[in-house]
Amino acid sequence: FGIRTLLVVAVTLSPVTAAARSENDVTGEDAYPPLWDLAPENLLDFPVNGNKIVISAWNYPERLGVYKSLLNASAKYFGAFGPQNSGNILWGLPLQHGWQFRTGRLADPSGVTSCSYENGEHLCQSVRSWWSCMNYYLAIIPFLGAVEAGLFGQLPYEIEILPPEEQKEDFCYSVKDCWSRMPKLMDDWKAFFEVNNFSPFKLDDALGLMWKAHVTSIAYGLLKFQDRLKYLSGPEANFGKDWANAVDFIAATHFCTDLLTTNNFQAFLPQRMLDERDVLPSISDFSPQQNTVLVSLRALHRANKLTGGLLLKLWQKAMSTEAGREMGRKLIEGLASS
């Protein structure tokens, strides 16, 4: 059953390698999140009000700027892993967020506001978007954890995150606020960004700490934002939950989330929101690989639920050694092309 578990998970995750990009594509414009050039480069590029750097987390370029500042501040630790900071394992976060923006997943799914629509506030991120709210805990919390860990050195200003227009109580807005309201999340992200973790540098250890914090953020968000799922179609809500489940399996392998690898593995994610007319495995405007990925993620989630989470536990046990994780990554990367 253990080997069967490995194969189920590998089959689930591996189809997206079929259109893997080459190393030459790393510097291409489409390798980066949409509007990457518009995002602030570092913390002092954000507005300063009094003694505070003020960040609007519900504005797409500004949330992207949070990621950009993290990538730039941590670049010195990842220089040996690829040119132009392409080997930085933090790339997975902004690239996922860029995919959410490009596919309309940050727009107001309730249709009550014009947030993130072309004829409205195009660069807005809706607090009614399940994806945007989930991402808050994979953007702002890591960022504030990095601030607390000293990644940016001694800052001359405090950090203030502006709240959304509604449902403000679901979020935190400063280092102190987040520590008091969600200490486990902050502690996990601070632990990843502690500078001593990068010297001497061991990539597997860094990935382990990052993925530990990542899955904690998602677990917290799944509980916190269940009410946002009501705004989504049934197929899209299922896909969101399937995606969150799959992350647990990927995390166990300490999968490398650098620029090239993340782009490869996003190649066959759905290019638009799913609606009620979409029936798997034959969504007509999706490629066969995209349909396959959605079906496989659904099957993996169902199997994990039917076994009461045993499937994930078996996979995590198999991935508990460095050799096991290497095998897991190779299964994920290579099964479809074998």
Side-chain angles (χ1 to χ4, degrees):
F1 187 63
I3 292 175
R4 187 166 177 265
T5 299
L6 296 178
L7 291 175
V8 167
V9 176
V11 167
T12 297
L13 299 174
S14 61
V16 292
T17 60
R21 305 179 187 194
S22 71
E23 293 284 349
N24 295 331
D25 292 330
V26 168
T27 56
E29 189 175 323
D30 65 342
Y32 298 93
L35 309 181
W36 185 246
D37 290 341
L38 293 183
E41 292 281 337
N42 56 62
L43 292 189
L44 296 181
D45 289 335
F46 287 97
V48 175
N49 185 5
N51 68 333
K52 293 181 179 179
I53 295 171
V54 181
I55 299 173
S56 175
W58 302 96
N59 170 275
Y60 172 73
E62 290 206 25
R63 196 182 291 193
L64 210 56
V66 165
Y67 287 129
K68 206 170 192 178
S69 64
L70 284 173
L71 279 158
N72 288 338
S74 60
K76 59 188 175 184
Y77 303 116
F78 294 95
F81 298 96
Q84 299 177 340
N85 203 22
S86 62
N88 195 318
I89 61 175
L90 290 172
W91 273 113
L93 297 173
L95 286 170
Q96 269 281 285
H97 196 48
W99 164 75
Q100 292 162 3
F101 176 79
R102 187 168 53 247
T103 58
R105 288 179 163 84
L106 304 181
D108 180 359
S110 71
V112 172
T113 72
S114 61
C115 183
S116 199
Y117 291 99
E118 289 288 347
N119 61 349
E121 302 168 72
H122 176 51
L123 300 180
C124 169
Q125 291 194 202
S126 176
V127 73
R128 296 181 176 219
S129 161
W130 180 84
W131 292 97
S132 183
C133 292
M134 291 290 288
N135 178 264
Y136 193 94
Y137 289 97
L138 288 168
I140 301 306
I141 308 302
F143 167 66
L144 293 176
V147 171
E148 183 74 353
L151 183 70
F152 300 100
Q154 280 294 111
L155 290 172
Y157 306 103
E158 295 178 31
I159 303 290
E160 180 184 8
I161 310 297
L162 295 179
E165 292 183 359
E166 58 179 326
Q167 305 186 64
K168 300 176 183 179
E169 67 281 356
D170 288 340
F171 309 95
C172 61
Y173 306 106
S174 68
V175 170
K176 184 178 179 181
D177 184 30
C178 292
W179 268 115
S180 66
R181 293 168 64 177
M182 46 201 71
K184 170 63 175 166
L185 276 183
M186 286 289 288
D187 194 53
D188 281 0
W189 281 109
K190 180 175 181 285
F192 167 67
F193 283 110
E194 294 281 7
V195 174
N196 61 322
N197 289 328
F198 300 110
S199 182
F201 191 96
K202 188 173 181 184
L203 187 61
D204 186 68
D205 291 344
L207 284 162
L209 287 167
M210 186 203 69
W211 278 115
K212 180 176 183 285
H214 192 121
V215 297
T216 303
S217 283
I218 288 180
Y220 189 96
L222 282 173
L223 291 173
K224 193 79 169 173
F225 302 119
Q226 287 185 51
D227 64 321
R228 308 301 202 277
L229 291 169
K230 69 186 177 187
Y231 296 121
L232 302 176
S233 69
E236 180 68 18
N238 284 334
F239 166 60
K241 291 181 284 186
D242 296 343
W243 162 86
N245 172 76
V247 169
D248 284 334
F249 287 87
I250 297 169
T253 73
H254 294 186
F255 194 79
C256 188
T257 46
D258 59 20
L259 185 69
L260 178 65
T261 310
T262 304
N263 272 314
N264 287 344
F265 274 76
Q266 289 194 161
F268 290 121
L269 290 178
Q271 78 273 15
R272 61 164 174 82
M273 296 272 281
L274 303 179
D275 60 43
E276 299 294 354
R277 296 166 296 176
D278 291 324
V279 179
L280 294 171
S282 53
I283 302 175
S284 60
D285 61 331
F286 284 10
S287 69
Q289 294 93 337
Q290 286 170 329
N291 275 286
T292 297
V293 166
L294 290 173
V295 168
S296 300
L297 293 179
R298 181 98 282 254
L300 180 66
H301 192 188
R302 283 177 175 168
N304 196 38
K305 286 181 73 173
L306 282 171
T307 60
L310 179 61
L311 194 65
L312 176 59
K313 289 176 182 175
L314 285 170
W315 178 252
Q316 288 171 331
K317 186 175 181 181
M319 299 297 106
S320 61
T321 66
E322 204 163 337
R325 290 190 292 275
E326 184 178 359
M327 182 180 72
R329 291 191 297 271
K330 286 181 178 177
L331 277 171
I332 291 171
E333 292 168 355
L335 197 64
S337 57
S338 63

